[in-house]
Amino acid sequence: MKPTVNVKKLRENAILPKYGSAYAAGADLSACIEGPLEIRPGETRLVPTGLAMEIPAGYAGLIYARSGLASKRGLAPANKVGVVDADYRGEVMVALHNHSNDPQSVEPGERVAQLVVAPFLAVDFAQAEELEDTARGAGGFGSTGSRPR
């Protein structure tokens, strides 16, 4: 049984999230704007969706780029992945950043991001004097590809 996410339209022209195919992981989020919204090169603009959501407890709404919009036009969420917490009831916004060298226009109703609703683990953090050793140890960025296996 699939969990249900209750969605409230905050404006009449808001579009409910919709999956693009039977096995899509992300549901498209659309711009709820009255007219075109220009995003200059290097600029970030908040794009309203006109929606508020009731994400179930134990889940988070993760806002990702739409691959075509990012690769063809350079438009992607500024924060890389937005997080909609289960207790947030305000309007879902997409912080869209223009990575291209050209101004880009977002049109009313245009699909601007995708929402993946995923379970997560809430954990307790405990201070420790020592941590268990591993083969990797403290090797950081790029360390797993730099030594022979």
Side-chain angles (χ1 to χ4, degrees):
M1 187 168 100
K2 293 192 285 188
T4 298
V5 174
N6 292 325
V7 180
K8 179 180 179 181
K9 281 188 169 190
L10 302 175
R11 288 185 289 288
E12 191 175 320
N13 60 334
I15 300 170
L16 291 180
K18 183 178 178 184
Y19 291 101
S21 70
Y23 297 108
D28 291 328
L29 294 174
S30 301
C32 184
I33 51 181
E34 295 300 318
L37 175 71
E38 183 177 289
I39 306 175
R40 295 185 308 268
E43 182 181 35
T44 298
R45 299 284 302 267
L46 286 178
V47 180
T49 65
L51 304 172
M53 298 182 191
E54 189 177 316
I55 305 289
Y59 292 80
L62 305 175
I63 299 174
Y64 292 100
R66 293 193 70 247
S67 57
L69 198 64
S71 64
K72 295 176 184 171
R73 295 178 47 202
L75 294 174
N79 50 348
K80 306 304 180 214
V81 178
V83 177
V84 182
D85 295 312
D87 58 351
Y88 177 66
R89 294 296 183 268
E91 182 172 10
V92 174
M93 306 285 276
V94 177
L96 210 54
H97 183 79
N98 182 356
H99 295 274
S100 80
N101 294 321
D102 301 310
Q104 298 292 327
S105 181
V106 174
E107 299 297 322
E110 183 173 356
R111 297 172 296 160
V112 293
Q114 57 183 325
L115 177 75
V116 175
V117 178
F120 67 90
L121 293 175
V123 300
D124 290 321
F125 293 94
Q127 183 174 336
E129 295 300 319
E130 297 294 327
L131 301 177
E132 185 178 313
D133 284 332
T134 66
R136 181 176 180 174
F141 295 104
S143 67
T144 60
S146 62
R147 60 183 119 135
R149 295 198 184 255

